[in-house]
Amino acid sequence: MLAVFIIVVLFAAGKLSSQIVAESGDLVSAGSETAEMAFFSGDRVNLSVTSTDDIFAAGETIMSDSVSADHLVMAGGTITVKNANIEDLVIAGGELRLASGKLNDDLLAAGGDVRIQSGFDIGGSAIVSGSDVRIEAPVRAELRAAAGKLYLNSAVGGDAKLMGDTIELGPKARISGDLQYRTDSMTISPSAVISGTQSVLPPQEHEEFERWGKGGAALAAIFSTAFIFGVALLVVVVAITLPGLMSGAARSIKEQPLRTFGIGFLLAILAPFALAMLFATVIGIPLALLIAAIYLAATPLAIAATVYFAGMQGRRMVGKKTNDQAPGIRDRLIWPLAAVVVIVLLGMLPYIGGVIWLLALILGLGAILPRGGQALARNAS
């Protein structure tokens, strides 16, 4: 089954590669016109791409200037969007600056410091969240925003649902529909206009959430225990039966961490996005089911690859082993199992734990797929 899975994934990747533009590196500067889906990842990414398809980008710093695309999906530390002409925008990062351009449909944005400036036009609905959010761009349809500090100073064509510690409506705020809000401090400028009704969102039903939370905690404990033993067992089985696959994946993570992370990150984004698009059409449902099955099968294998890499790195540091000393079967069992324990303990930490599991998945996906065919061939020979 493992061999079939790897062959199917590599075959699909080969078929799709002729229809995909991909570039990664420390500095990526992309300026071209294409009718194909495009992926870019690096420490710094400069985009000036025109595409009739979708564009994905990941990096520490991303500058999008004069990009034209169907869907633009970006994640990074600092992201700036200027002179955009796109249908839908999905963006997440530490600092987001949507400076100018035309968004023909919907916006989904999440970040720490979010600035949506007046030169940016949102043609559909907007969902925005962050620590400090400032919206000065017109939203033609509905707006939903949640932030620690929220400032709205623009026109909203539909209803507005706002949540935050502090909410301020500036003098240029124009809400054509109803306003619903939940806040400790609400400030509305005398010049602001709200055409519909104003209402306070009801408080959360904490008793109900607590009752469900207790049952959910018990279920989560059972699931977590089964998951830990499952990953440990998978690492043992794969380390014994396919040592080439594990060692190849570990080498990929060590020698090309940025490239591996970029590939894994784009795969982690692409799969759910592709599923959503395929499930929307009747003829795409069978392919969507196949992709979903492959993705579910790849998830534990990817985490196992990252765990194996962590275990081998621990072996080198503690035992002062060199790359010339190949691990024996005992080392391939003991050190990855020790890594499972460490990663599980770190994964239990609030907030940080979720990031650790996500990194394990992304690195594993980026390492397994490119190396899978080579490892399989070595074991077959």
Side-chain angles (χ1 to χ4, degrees), residues 269-293:
I269 291 179
L270 177 61
F273 178 77
L275 288 175
M277 297 296 291
L278 290 171
F279 272 119
T281 62
V282 176
I283 61 175
I285 291 177
L287 181 58
L289 294 174
L290 176 61
I291 294 176

Side-chain angles (χ1 to χ4, degrees), residues 4 19 57 79 83 109 179 198 204 262 286 350:
V4 171
Q19 305 177 29
I79 304 177
N83 305 316
L179 170 62
Q198 299 183 45
Q204 300 289 346

Side-chain angles (χ1 to χ4, degrees), residues 29-315:
S29 295
S32 61
E33 183 173 345
T34 178
E36 301 168 341
M37 188 178 295
F39 299 85
F40 306 97
S41 65
D43 286 341
R44 182 175 180 84
V45 180
N46 298 322
L47 297 180
S48 182
V49 181
T50 299
S51 174
T52 57
D53 210 318
D54 303 328
I55 296 176
F56 299 83
E60 176 63 26
T61 303
I62 302 177
M63 168 61 75
S64 171
D65 190 354
S66 302
V67 170
S68 177
D70 188 5
H71 296 83
L72 178 59
V73 181
M74 297 186 293
T78 302
I79 304 177
T80 303
V81 178
K82 298 169 57 178
N83 305 316
N85 182 16
I86 50 184
E87 291 297 318
D88 296 288
L89 175 61
V90 179
I91 185 170
E95 296 183 8
L96 308 182
R97 297 289 183 273
L98 308 186
S100 60
K102 172 66 175 178
L103 180 62
N104 297 312
D105 207 344
D106 300 330
L107 168 68
L108 176 59
D113 188 7
V114 182
R115 296 288 183 270
I116 307 177
Q117 299 174 4
S118 58
F120 196 82
D121 190 353
I122 303 171
S125 300
I127 300 176
V128 184
S129 67
S131 176
D132 188 351
V133 174
R134 190 178 184 92
I135 303 173
E136 298 178 285
V139 180
R140 305 299 177 180
E142 294 183 345
L143 169 65
R144 294 192 177 190
K149 181 180 180 181
L150 175 60
Y151 178 74
L152 172 63
N153 192 35
S154 64
V156 178
D159 297 335
K161 182 178 290 187
L162 311 178
M163 291 161 283
D165 295 335
T166 62
I167 299 177
E168 181 180 356
L169 301 185
K172 296 181 180 179
R174 302 287 186 272
I175 300 177
S176 299
D178 298 333
L179 170 62
Q180 292 181 299
Y181 61 90
R182 181 188 296 120
T183 182
D184 296 331
S185 174
M186 181 67 156
T187 302
I188 301 179
S189 169
S191 301
V193 176
I194 303 171
S195 301
T197 61
Q198 299 183 45
S199 60
V200 178
L201 288 169
Q204 300 289 346
E205 298 292 339
H206 295 291
E207 295 81 2
E208 187 69 13
F209 278 112
E210 289 172 357
R211 185 171 65 84
W212 280 98
K214 292 177 181 178
L219 181 61
I222 296 174
F223 175 80
S224 300
T225 303
F227 181 78
I228 293 168
F229 282 106
V231 172
L233 180 60
L234 182 63
V235 171
V236 170
V237 172
V238 177
I240 295 176
T241 58
L242 291 176
L245 177 62
M246 290 289 99
S247 61
R251 186 165 55 253
S252 177
I253 296 173
K254 180 182 179 181
E255 296 176 354
Q256 297 178 309
L258 181 61
R259 177 178 179 273
T260 302
F261 180 84
I263 293 173
F265 184 84
L266 294 175
L267 286 172
I269 291 179
L270 177 61
F273 178 77
L275 288 175
M277 297 296 291
L278 290 171
F279 272 119
T281 62
V282 176
I283 61 175
I285 291 177
L287 181 58
L289 294 174
L290 176 61
I291 294 176
I294 293 174
Y295 193 74
L296 290 175
T299 298
L301 189 63
I303 293 177
T306 305
V307 168
Y308 184 87
F309 162 75
M312 291 300 100
Q313 287 299 107
R315 167 182 175 266

